[in-house]
Amino acid sequence: MPPNTALGKDLVGLESLTADQLRAILDTAEAFKEISERQIKKVPVLRGKTIVNAFFEPSTRTRVSFEFAEKRLSADTVNIASSGSSVVKGETLVDTARNLEAMRIDMVVMRHGSSGSAQFLAERIPSNVINAGDGRHEHPTQALLDMLTIRDHVGRLEGVKVCIVGDILHSRVARSNIFGLRTLGAEVGVCGPRTLLPAAIEEMGVKVFARIEEAIEWADVLNVLRLQLERMQAGYVPSLREYNRVFGLTRERVQAAPGELLVLHPGPMNRGVEIDSDVADGPQSVILDQVTNGVAVRMAVLYLLAGGEPEKAEAAKVDGAHG
Ligand code: CP
């Protein structure tokens, strides 16, 4: 376990990270981007490290991009899921992790349905723990790739007005974005039906918009969230059609923006519900850039938690040193 890394032992969330730490991750990701553009997408940065990807909830983008990031940095990786592991026989999270530790692993990347599970694990095992989404709590690498994408397209984060639209109540992506963006000086708004906004959301330092038209008038960037139908009991919205009519991001609404609006969505999308295909596939959408940036951000987090120094990222790509 590296005792003293730029990020500490684990990445559980963005709430506790400083502006310098956030910038170190984004700048390191910038340096690692070009690895994925090479014909041979592999550097020796994490040679000899063993990483377990434990995904106890479904995932496409996060799981695959962590695995690509690990492999492109030459780590050895193993994937486990609830189905097919002894979790289905009732083995606890800590027992599962301790058995993996007994095989001498270095890092665990975990997605789990329970808020706080990543912190719980981080306090109980010596390996680095990276939160790939825990319940409604945080999804730090998603917010980091969102921030990198905004910085790429706008040129900065400071002073940029970002409105997160939709199901804020169930969203770990929203929470991580609010923490990270505000720490780096962006202004953050949220917009959605009152039933899908947490009580006292204003205390997180965000502006609240009841109407999407007002949010679009204000924002430079919209980050449109998925309606998390699997986490909802009936009653949050009258119907999906009604949600689309009142809060859906349509071409007409985007065209009414006073300036050039940048459109993000963390995926997976409910096309025709929170976002129309005209917008998702349109010129203002950077949704696939987010996915590309996800690999670089995850490489950066892995490198820094392994003890890599941000300013040595370029050299590490050549000689494989961790720092
Ligand atoms: N954005 C996101 O977390 O997507 P996945 O659930 O596919 O990982």
Side-chain angles (χ1 to χ4, degrees), residues 58-62 111 139 142 266-267:
S59 168
T60 299
R61 281 147 289 270
T62 312
R111 170 166 291 190
H139 190 350
Q142 177 66 46

Side-chain angles (χ1 to χ4, degrees), residues 97-110:
R98 286 189 180 142
N99 279 271
L100 296 170
E101 288 279 344
M103 296 179 225
R104 304 289 180 257
I105 61 168
D106 298 293
M107 297 187 184
V108 178
V109 176
M110 184 176 75

Side-chain angles (χ1 to χ4, degrees), residues 20-31:
D20 282 346
Q21 287 174 314
L22 292 170
R23 277 192 286 267
I25 299 170
L26 299 183
D27 293 346
T28 304
E30 205 62 57

Side-chain angles (χ1 to χ4, degrees), residues 4-301:
N4 233 339
T5 80
L7 303 182
K9 181 175 102 52
D10 311 293
L11 180 65
V12 169
L14 300 192
E15 185 173 10
S16 60
L17 293 197
T18 64
D20 282 346
Q21 287 174 314
L22 292 170
R23 277 192 286 267
I25 299 170
L26 299 183
D27 293 346
T28 304
E30 205 62 57
F32 281 157
K33 266 184 192 177
E34 61 88 15
I35 297 168
S36 296
E37 305 306 324
R38 296 180 187 181
Q39 204 159 19
I40 297 173
K41 301 173 179 57
K42 205 177 250 313
V43 295
V45 170
L46 292 184
R47 194 170 44 197
K49 296 282 181 191
T50 304
I51 303 177
V52 174
N53 300 309
F55 278 71
F56 301 114
E57 275 193 333
S59 168
T60 299
R61 281 147 289 270
T62 312
R63 182 177 56 79
V64 174
S65 65
F66 261 115
E67 196 174 346
F68 277 142
E70 292 154 4
K71 290 194 154 100
R72 288 175 193 178
L73 297 182
S74 302
D76 296 312
T77 68
V78 175
N79 298 325
I80 63 169
S82 305
S83 61
S85 77
S86 287
V87 170
V88 291
K89 300 179 204 164
E91 188 166 46
T92 66
L93 177 59
V94 168
D95 280 339
T96 302
R98 286 189 180 142
N99 279 271
L100 296 170
E101 288 279 344
M103 296 179 225
R104 304 289 180 257
I105 61 168
D106 298 293
M107 297 187 184
V108 178
V109 176
M110 184 176 75
R111 170 166 291 190
H112 198 285
S114 298
S115 303
S117 51
Q119 183 65 40
F120 178 84
L121 192 65
E123 289 167 2
R124 282 163 180 80
I125 63 171
S127 295
N128 309 103
V129 173
I130 302 174
N131 182 7
D134 62 328
R136 298 184 192 185
H137 175 231
E138 284 222 39
H139 190 350
T141 56
Q142 177 66 46
L144 287 161
L145 72 89
D146 293 344
M147 290 193 283
L148 184 62
T149 306
I150 296 168
R151 198 176 76 165
D152 282 352
H153 285 271
V154 181
R156 65 191 156 80
L157 288 166
E158 194 158 17
V160 177
K161 294 177 179 164
V162 182
C163 190
I164 306 168
V165 181
D167 182 358
I168 314 293
L169 181 67
H170 298 98
S171 180
R172 53 199 178 204
V173 174
R175 286 174 55 82
S176 290
N177 263 281
I178 292 168
F179 294 133
L181 285 165
R182 292 195 68 243
T183 301
L184 288 183
E187 291 184 54
V188 183
V190 296
C191 174
R194 198 70 229 189
T195 49
L196 291 176
L197 299 179
I201 180 76
E202 294 88 348
E203 287 172 16
M204 292 185 80
V206 299
K207 283 175 81 78
V208 178
F209 296 95
R211 297 180 62 244
I212 192 165
E213 291 80 6
E214 290 168 8
I216 289 172
E217 174 93 23
W218 175 81
D220 304 308
V221 178
L222 290 188
N223 196 348
V224 184
L225 301 182
R226 182 173 72 90
L227 275 195
Q228 297 197 31
L229 303 171
E230 74 279 14
R231 294 191 210 274
M232 287 187 192
Q233 308 300 320
Y236 285 103
V237 293
S239 70
L240 299 184
R241 183 191 291 249
E242 179 71 359
Y243 182 85
N244 179 257
R245 193 182 65 76
V246 180
F247 288 101
L249 195 58
T250 61
R251 183 170 51 184
E252 294 71 28
R253 286 185 169 135
V254 169
Q255 283 174 344
E260 192 72 9
L261 198 61
L262 201 66
V263 176
L264 287 80
H265 191 305
M269 290 182 276
N270 296 307
R271 287 174 182 263
V273 180
E274 72 267 3
I275 188 165
D276 284 3
S277 286
D278 283 345
V279 179
D281 305 326
Q284 281 147 298
S285 166
V286 291
I287 293 169
L288 292 178
D289 293 351
Q290 290 173 264
V291 179
T292 304
N293 280 341
V295 178
V297 156
R298 285 159 184 141
M299 281 183 188
V301 168

